[in-house]
Amino acid sequence: MSESSNSSLVRFAGIVALGSVASKILGFLRETALASRFGSTYATDAYLMAMIIPTLILMGVGPAVTTTLIPVFTDIEKRKGRTAAFQSVTSIVNACVLVAAIISGAGMALARPLVHLVAPGFGPETYELTVTLTTIMFPIAVFSTITSVITGLLHAVGKFAAPALTGLAQNVVIISSIVFFGGKYGITAVAVGTLLGAASMLAVQLPALASVGYRHHIMLDWHDEGLRQAGRLIAPIVAGSAAGQAGTIVIRTLASRLPEGSITNLNYAQRLVGLPVTVLGASLITVLYPTLARLYSRDSGIGPAGGSGELDLRGTRGLRGTPDLRSSRGPRGRMGPGPKGDFLRASERAVGIVFFVLAPMAVGLMALSTPVVRLAFERGAFTDQSTSSTAIALVYASIAIPAMSLSELMSKTFYAMHDTITPMLVGVGAVGVNVVISIALVGTMGHAGLALAGSCQPIAVFVTLYLVFRARVRRTASGQAPGYSLGSSALKTLVATCVMSVSVVAFAGWIEKVVPGHGTGQQIIRLATSVGAGGVVYIAVAAALRSEELCFAVGAAKKRIAARR
């Protein structure tokens, strides 16, 4: 198992990342088309607010179902077989459809008071438009909920390709609505396209669903073991997801009182921040979560010793001198595998990997915020002033890039431990942090203060969850701390990131003199070379410091290459 597990991580994460990259490229084309057609106006403010309202009302049920279904399906399949697990999935799908349909109908009927509640600062014209768009897009809740169940099922059986491609179909539909119908029918056409895009996300997964042998039936057994087990686990996860969405609502509600376009500028900044988080952070977590769930099950004595789908995160030999954390003893006689030992080591290794990948991207976006925004959006109705406003928001929003993925990883680590209460409580507390800081800063910093407050929320979640996790697992793990030192690894990553940031700022100033001009070609050259220079410096410094995460990546790549020979 260990011989192929690291290459499996590269392969599975690569599949998810490839789909995410393609989806994000289309996503940027979508945002670019939207910015070019409508700019930062009341129409885009109304559209973005209308999109978030169904998510608020549904309270994050979709992502919660995806997260819950994986351990539930895995448990039933091990004990009763795949047929019984499929029967439970049928009941879960039908229950979710029923709940989502009821909520969607109620939301459409109560659209006017809902809009007034979440956007009290909107003027009459923006308010009426938001009500119309909200009514159109509320059925998205039904499609997204079904899609989430199917995604969880496919991830549980090791099928990552189809879920990774859902964003492609969605973005193609939305872009088509903007390009072909936005000019004639306005922002309403984009709302209709968004609804159809949600339906396409479901449709694109159906062939993969059929290929694993699943057949859906119109039946709902409220006493089904899987449905009841999912019901017990899902409530805290829904509350935690709702808390996360509540932070977004707080920001947009306060932004509705700021000058026109503030919500849109914040949204564009978040889209840019979401690129590394979704493409790399979420891709890694998507693959790591099932492995952590299996590893905890194994170390707890309730599951088999492993399987072909389990990834080896306990360590690997990469560069010369790297300790092999798979050995029974780490440096200075520290503990080897034992009850919860491998799980603790794998969890900390996962944190280190995610931080190593995302920390330089956060700093890079901060250093290059203006050229990134200008290249991505400045055309048509999106003016230089819009670029400046969005770039300011991007600087503060980028602070949270590592924490956004790390907080998600730590939440799912608790879910793997069958604890859904702790992440929920921490998430609710972090919303309070967001609200307090937002109110304190919005008056003096405007939308930039809201971006900074939003960054504080995932940081608070990750720090709290990690401290609780360390205290809890150390009490149950045998022996002392594992040989892998997350603190040492994170320090090396920070040093490499700081050196990289200095080099990026210096190189960007130099290349702007060498390649002047405002054309798209010149912008691409300047930005690409600045990013490339920063990447080279980062890897070089990390290698000089013997970064454990770089060693892990090199080892995984070597195994992947060797496996192909």
Side-chain angles (χ1 to χ4, degrees), residues 230 343 474:
F343 177 70
R474 276 179 176 275

Side-chain angles (χ1 to χ4, degrees), residues 201-378:
M201 294 179 70
L202 169 61
V204 78
Q205 295 194 93
L206 295 180
L209 185 65
S211 71
V212 300
Y214 177 79
R215 299 294 182 270
H216 191 72
H217 303 284
I218 306 301
M219 54 85 68
L220 179 55
D221 181 7
W222 291 106
H223 299 286
D224 179 83
E225 178 187 2
L227 177 60
R228 295 170 70 88
Q229 186 177 352
R232 288 192 296 269
L233 292 174
I234 200 172
I237 301 177
V238 168
S241 298
Q245 293 297 330
T248 302
I249 289 293
V250 167
I251 291 175
R252 293 193 177 182
T253 299
L254 293 173
S256 71
R257 301 179 182 274
L258 296 176
E260 179 181 316
S262 295
I263 292 177
T264 302
N265 293 328
L266 283 168
N267 174 74
Y268 288 145
Q270 287 297 333
R271 294 294 184 184
L272 291 168
V273 165
L275 178 60
V277 171
T278 303
V279 170
L280 295 172
S283 299
L284 286 169
I285 293 170
T286 296
V287 177
L288 293 171
Y289 175 47
T291 296
L292 290 175
R294 294 189 193 101
L295 194 56
Y296 181 83
S297 176
R298 189 200 70 184
D299 284 355
S300 300
I302 59 176
S308 60
E310 184 177 304
L311 309 175
D312 183 11
L313 297 176
R314 293 166 294 168
T316 183
R317 285 196 181 275
L319 301 179
R320 181 180 178 184
T322 303
D324 184 357
L325 299 182
R326 292 172 296 178
S327 62
S328 60
R329 293 176 65 86
R332 300 184 183 179
R334 290 179 178 178
M335 82 171 186
K340 307 296 189 305
D342 283 348
F343 177 70
L344 172 61
R345 179 178 293 117
S347 300
E348 294 210 329
R349 170 72 72 179
V351 171
I353 291 172
V354 172
F355 186 67
F356 176 79
V357 171
L358 294 182
M361 295 188 177
V363 174
L365 269 180
M366 295 171 68
L368 301 171
S369 59
T370 298
V372 166
V373 173
R374 179 173 291 119
L375 177 61
F377 301 121
E378 191 177 302

Side-chain angles (χ1 to χ4, degrees), residues 154-189:
L154 293 177
H155 284 172
V157 299
K159 299 290 184 179
F160 296 99
L165 299 176
T166 54
L168 293 175
Q170 180 192 36
N171 285 320
V172 167
V173 174
I174 297 177
I175 290 171
S176 298
S177 70
I178 297 171
V179 173
F180 298 113
F181 302 103
K184 183 176 182 180
Y185 299 103
I187 200 70
T188 303

